[in-house]
Structure formats: C-alpha cells, structure tokens
Amino acid sequence: MKWNAKHAAMMGILASAIAVTGCSSTSNKSDNAQAGSNANANAATPEAGKEKVKVDFWSIWDPTNGNGKLIADEIVKFNEQNPDIEIVMSGQGGYDGVAEKLEAALVAKNTPVIVQIEESFLARYNPIAADLGKYMSPATIANYNEGLTRSSYVDGAFKAAPMNRSTPILYMNADMLKAAGLDPKGPKTWTELHEYAKKLSNPAKGIYGFSGYWDSDAWYWESAVYSYGGEMVNKDGTQVVFDNDKGTGIIKLFQDMVNDKSMLNAYSAQDNQSDLIKQNFFDGKVAMDLDSVGAMGDLTTNAKFNVAVAFQPQEGGKNVVVTGGANMIVLDKATEEQKKAAGKFLDFLANDENVTSLFKTSGYLPTTKSSLETPEMKQWLQEKPQYQVAIDQLQFAHSRPWQKNWKAMYTVILDDLKGAMIDTSKDPKEVIHHAAAAAQQIIDENK
C-alpha cells in the first residue's frame, strides 16, 4: 500500500461509522461499529453543568465480536465508573485499515484521540503521539513487561502503551511427535526442525512435518532473520543489512523442505495461507505449525489432539524472536482533557483483571508483570503450560525496525519472498538481493 491513499474514499468509510450503545441488547455488525457511547442509562451522571469528555478510540477490532467485543465490554464498565468521560470505540478494519484511515484523517484534520497501532508503524506516527508519561500512572508504565516496551520510548518519552502483543511460536502435534519417537520439547534450531519434519512426513498419505508462511508483512521472515543473527537495517536506519546469508537462510530452508516434501507449501494454492495451514494442522496433515501466540487459544482449544509448543527455532547461537501486535498511542493534538481521560482509560486497560482476561481469551501476551503474579494467572498457567512457554520466550524479544517507511519496504520484500515459494527453484541469494535493493531505494528516496 502506498501512503498517498485515496483520501476521499477513506473519509467516506469513516463517515459510515455507526454508534452502538453499551446498554443495547443487539449490535450492528459493521466493521466500523462503535461501542461505548451512552454506555448505561442508569450510570452516574457528571457534575451539573460539566460536559462529558468524549474520547474517540480507533481500534483494529470490530467492537461487536471477538477481541473487540471484549474491549467494548470493558469500555462500558469504564464509562460507568467515570461518568465524566465517554470512550467511543470504532473498528477500522485491522492493522492496515487503521493506518490508512489515520493517514486520511491527518490530512482532513479530523483525528481520533486514541489509536491502536501495529508496532512497525510506531516510527511513522511517534511524532504526533503524546508523551503518555504525562497522562498515565507511573506505576502502570513501570509495570509493563520490558520485552513489550522496546518500541514504546522515543528520546526517553513513553509514547506507546502495549496492548495486544505477540511473537511467533512453534505449535506441534504432540501425539505425532510421540509416535515418531521425537523429543516432545521440540526442535531448538532450524536444522533440527528440518530433521523433525522429515521424520514426521509421509508424502504418500499427504502428511507434512511442517508448514509456515511469511505473513502479510513478512513478519515470520523478519523474525527468522533475527534468529539467524541478522538485522533488517543498520542502527541509524540508513542501510538495509539483510542482503547476506542471514537473510537467505530461512528461504533456502523452506525451499529445501518443500522440495523434499517435508513442508506443506502454503503458496501452492490460492487459499489464505494462515487458514490453509491451520486447517491442515487440525486435520493431522501438518505436524508442526509456525504461528503467532495470538493463535494459541484457537489451536489449543479446538485441536482434537495434544498440542505442545516450543520457542521459535534459531540458528545464530541464541534465541531471538520478533515482537508484533499493537500498541496504543494518544494523539498529541487532542485537548488536555481528552489526553488525561485517555491516560486514565489506558491505566484501566492495564489492570490485572483486564490483562488476564485478554490473555486467557486470545493468547496475546500478558502486558504487565503484576498480572503474572495473580492467583488466577498462576492457576491458568499451571493448567495450560503452553501459555507459559510463550511468556518465557518473551525474554528473547526483538523489536521491529524503527523505520518510518517500513510498510513500503516490507511490501516490496514480501513480493520477492512469495516468489521464492511459488517457484522454489529461484536462487535465495538473488531473491534477497533484489528485495534488499528495492528496500534500499525506498530508504534513499525518503531521507
């Protein structure tokens, strides 16, 4: 996606947002449905003569279902507890949808107060984000898990509060591993993963030991590059630095595994890659699946076999895994009253009850340290040890590139990555060299 989006079309979408009252028993199913307005007719009213502070919150989620409904319900509670504040949530169509509409809103000078922003977009939007240290409790900020705040600070200012955060993780059909006589703890390196996959595969029966894909923003490739000991760009962001064996390692591995039939090639069909892999995992046709921790609730609950999890493999001598997901920013152009109200709301979302609820429902990483010490969380982790593996892996977290044009860069990189899987005879060195040159051109043209 180019950043010079068609603003008129976007603003038409924005205008179609429909309010959903918190006390209603029915809900609009529009992607732009709103939640939080007039949350409860019986709630306490603000002081006489004092207007409510309205805070528009743009989310990646539809507030009428799933994770969005969970947050919308919390907004109802917050609005009831704070009668002088009205948080109004609207779903904007996912990570890219939020970014596109925020670009249009900035041009139209009609922006929300709170925005749920994917981690890789923070470099682009940090200049317009408020210093949350002025509006959130210092105790809340200090309580966030350090592995999730590595992209939150700009020149010492805390500008992004962790929300739904994730890392890649390896899911395994524990029953298949046991039958093959393999260590249920899983492979530790990418080389070991290949060996596991070959032992788990049965091409005659259409069974593959492993499957994975790049994701829509090359997230899994990026994470693998870090795990091979590589980086995306140099420290000052002026040069790409993945045009080497660190950048090609995972491509060559995936191509070799597809060619020896130990990996299901998700790019060999027109299906959604994630859905295709997940269904084959459920069907017992794929033994190991590299996916997000955000998929843990679905995979561990709905699989009809025992699911084990392991750290993302590494090949560089130490574990490194990329973080992803979204953070909350507050736009600095909002009024002082709106920023104070937004800070209070972010404090509320970071309380132990809300953090634990989102983690248990979705699998997204718990964002705070204190939530891990609650009796409810400890019992949950004891009953579901797979989640503990995700938390333990967080110590090896690596932030995404601090690059204002990273979206444009990963878009051209992804084209080459897909091409290498559609035609597995392509030379990984040529694939990465082409991707690196295209990404470098974007950096050079936007200095």
Side-chain angles (χ1 to χ4, degrees):
M1 181 204 76
K2 295 185 181 296
W3 287 108
N4 56 342
K6 297 181 180 178
H7 303 310
M10 290 180 181
M11 294 310 295
I13 296 173
L14 286 173
S16 67
I18 301 172
V20 176
T21 59
C23 59
S24 173
S25 59
T26 59
S27 56
N28 190 293
K29 296 301 182 182
S30 166
D31 281 344
N32 289 327
Q34 294 184 346
S37 180
N38 299 323
N40 191 322
N42 297 318
T45 57
E47 295 177 18
K50 184 178 179 181
E51 291 186 4
K52 285 188 177 185
V53 178
K54 183 181 178 183
V55 176
D56 287 321
F57 161 39
W58 283 8
S59 175
I60 62 171
W61 294 320
D62 178 350
T64 65
N65 59 63
N67 293 327
K69 179 64 165 57
L70 180 66
I71 301 304
D73 289 344
E74 296 307 321
I75 288 174
V76 171
K77 295 177 186 176
F78 177 84
N79 287 348
E80 290 175 347
Q81 295 170 16
N82 298 273
D84 56 335
I85 300 172
E86 182 182 24
I87 306 293
V88 181
M89 174 185 179
S90 58
Q92 302 296 331
Y95 295 128
D96 287 345
V98 167
E100 290 169 7
K101 289 165 188 174
L102 182 56
E103 288 286 320
L106 288 168
V107 172
K109 298 181 178 180
N110 182 24
T111 52
V113 177
I114 305 173
V115 187
Q116 192 176 5
I117 287 288
E118 205 278 332
E119 185 187 6
S120 64
F121 298 156
L122 291 177
R124 185 172 187 84
Y125 296 116
N126 88 81
I128 63 171
D131 179 0
L132 296 177
K134 298 178 180 178
Y135 305 104
M136 293 180 67
S137 162
T140 297
I141 295 174
N143 192 32
Y144 284 121
N145 284 312
E146 287 84 355
L148 301 179
T149 60
R150 290 174 185 167
S151 297
S152 295
Y153 289 91
V154 181
D155 297 328
F158 185 75
K159 290 201 165 189
M163 183 60 190
N164 54 300
R165 300 300 304 279
S166 58
T167 62
I169 202 163
L170 184 66
Y171 296 92
M172 302 172 292
N173 184 323
D175 298 344
M176 292 180 69
L177 264 66
K178 183 178 180 180
L182 294 168
D183 186 344
K185 293 182 180 178
K188 292 179 173 57
T189 67
W190 291 108
T191 299
E192 288 180 3
L193 179 134
H194 193 182
E195 295 304 314
Y196 267 60
K198 286 188 285 189
K199 293 178 181 178
L200 290 162
S201 297
N202 188 335
K205 295 184 177 180
I207 296 173
Y208 300 87
F210 172 75
S211 193
Y213 70 117
W214 306 128
D215 208 353
S216 60
D217 58 355
W219 190 54
Y220 295 109
W221 168 79
E222 179 190 335
S223 191
V225 173
Y226 300 144
S227 77
Y228 274 83
E231 292 288 344
M232 295 294 103
V233 294
N234 61 359
K235 289 185 178 180
D236 64 8
T238 60
Q239 295 288 327
V240 298
V241 293
F242 57 80
D243 190 5
N244 47 46
D245 60 343
K246 316 298 185 187
T248 61
I250 196 66
I251 302 173
K252 184 178 187 309
L253 177 71
F254 277 17
Q255 288 180 330
D256 288 347
M257 293 179 72
V258 166
N259 291 337
D260 69 18
K261 295 182 171 50
S262 63
M263 175 178 175
L264 171 68
N265 189 352
Y267 293 94
S268 63
Q270 296 298 315
D271 307 66
N272 174 283
Q273 286 84 34
S274 176
D275 291 345
L276 176 67
I277 295 170
K278 187 180 294 185
Q279 189 57 56
N280 276 272
F281 184 70
F282 282 144
D283 292 343
K285 298 294 186 179
V286 165
M288 298 182 293
D289 169 20
L290 186 68
D291 208 326
S292 166
V293 300
M296 192 171 296
D298 183 18
L299 294 178
T300 58
T301 300
N302 295 318
K304 300 187 184 305
F305 47 82
N306 294 312
V307 176
V309 299
F311 290 175
Q312 172 194 269
Q314 53 85 13
E315 203 71 31
K318 62 179 182 179
N319 291 99
V320 187
V321 64
V322 74
T323 55
N327 296 266
M328 300 288 227
I329 64 170
V330 174
L331 298 198
D332 202 30
K333 68 176 295 183
T335 68
E336 197 68 10
E337 290 76 15
Q338 287 175 321
K339 287 185 280 191
K340 288 179 180 177
K344 191 172 185 179
F345 176 59
L346 296 182
D347 282 336
F348 171 79
L349 289 180
N351 71 39
D352 290 342
E353 181 182 352
N354 289 332
V355 170
T356 301
S357 179
L358 181 62
F359 174 59
K360 290 173 61 176
T361 302
S362 66
Y364 283 113
L365 293 164
T367 55
T368 62
K369 290 174 280 192
S370 64
S371 66
L372 297 174
E373 301 303 321
T374 62
E376 182 181 3
M377 182 71 82
K378 288 182 176 180
Q379 181 178 351
W380 176 263
L381 294 175
Q382 187 174 9
E383 295 172 355
K384 299 180 180 294
Q386 300 97 327
Y387 287 80
Q388 184 66 56
V389 177
I391 293 170
D392 291 343
Q393 185 180 233
L394 190 55
Q395 65 187 297
F396 305 114
H398 189 301
S399 60
R400 304 205 71 183
W402 194 255
Q403 196 74 26
K404 68 178 182 179
N405 293 296
W406 180 241
K407 180 174 173 58
M409 292 168 66
Y410 74 58
T411 299
V412 297
I413 293 169
L414 185 61
D415 286 342
D416 285 309
L417 294 176
K418 287 180 177 178
M421 296 306 293
I422 292 170
D423 179 2
T424 56
S425 68
K426 285 189 174 182
D427 183 348
K429 293 181 180 179
E430 293 181 4
V431 169
I432 284 300
H433 182 70
H434 185 271
Q440 185 63 49
Q441 182 177 350
I442 292 170
I443 291 177
D444 294 341
E445 290 176 350
N446 290 277
K447 288 182 178 178

